[in-house]
Amino acid sequence: MARRALTTTAAAFATAAALLLTACGGGDDASSDDIKGAGDSSPSPTASKSSAAPDVKRPVIKLPSSFQLTFENWTSSDPVEQAVLNDGKEQLRAGYEAIIENDPESKDRAFYDTKNGFLQSQQWIRTYTDKNLTVVGKLPVFDPKVVLSKDKAAASLSYCTDESKASTRNRKTGEVKGNPAGTDPEVLYVISMGKNAQGVWQAVSARSERGGCAK
């Protein structure tokens, strides 16, 4: 699918030509100040110590068989990292659900975003819905990494995607388009995340780099 890689600005979401995916991190812990935008999520001091929020009723995300979003090696032995991976995965799935359902106001996506994060998400979703586009094909998401702040109240989640078998489809004409010939199909995404008072990891901001997975 034709698109430009995302940046951390809302304007970039508005001008992106196609898919948004999320992720990236590293191996060592970092302070909250080292995770850009993490402070915007206003996480609860008490919630920051728990690894998950089992009592919170999360939305059920549904994607059609025409769009296969797969997650490879999406596990960690660290329970806090696993919680970040779990909510980061659903945040991405909710975004594609919103595009497919033509719903920029998606409550499912808003559940996994901070207020500012959702404003960015809406602009990204509208780059599809305003053009009457949906997504089809296969989109693998792989090589996830998590970096936690020292207090484990903020995190950076990164991952790569392979767009070689993913496309956009016009809802009216049925026209299907992929990336232009010669475009690197792999994109690196980095998401800044924070834990809210209910213990849900939410996206604060996102950036991406096409071809960044090879570095």
Side-chain angles (χ1 to χ4, degrees), residues 113-132:
D113 285 337
T114 62
K115 182 177 180 179
N116 288 337
F118 187 53
L119 291 175
Q120 290 186 336
S121 290
Q122 287 180 304
Q123 292 187 32
W124 164 59
I125 293 165
R126 288 189 176 108
T127 64
Y128 293 88
T129 59
D130 287 355
K131 297 176 182 178
N132 215 19

Side-chain angles (χ1 to χ4, degrees), residues 24-30 81 145-148:
C24 201
D28 299 328
D29 283 358
E81 289 187 5
K145 297 181 178 66
V146 176
V147 174
L148 296 171

Side-chain angles (χ1 to χ4, degrees), residues 58-77:
R58 286 168 163 75
V60 177
I61 311 300
K62 296 181 180 180
L63 297 175
S65 59
S66 58
F67 183 66
Q68 298 178 33
L69 188 62
T70 60
F71 294 81
E72 302 174 9
N73 300 318
W74 214 258
T75 59
S76 172
S77 59

Side-chain angles (χ1 to χ4, degrees), residues 18-62:
L19 297 179
L20 162 98
L21 311 157
T22 51
C24 201
D28 299 328
D29 283 358
S31 68
S32 296
D33 291 341
D34 293 333
I35 300 176
K36 187 174 182 179
D40 297 338
S41 62
S42 301
S44 165
T46 56
S48 66
K49 298 302 181 182
S50 63
S51 61
D55 297 331
V56 176
K57 185 176 181 180
R58 286 168 163 75
V60 177
I61 311 300
K62 296 181 180 180

Side-chain angles (χ1 to χ4, degrees), residues 83-99:
V84 173
L85 289 169
N86 291 345
D87 285 343
K89 173 182 177 179
E90 293 305 296
Q91 191 258 1
L92 180 57
R93 294 181 72 249
Y96 283 109
E97 178 191 59
I99 291 170

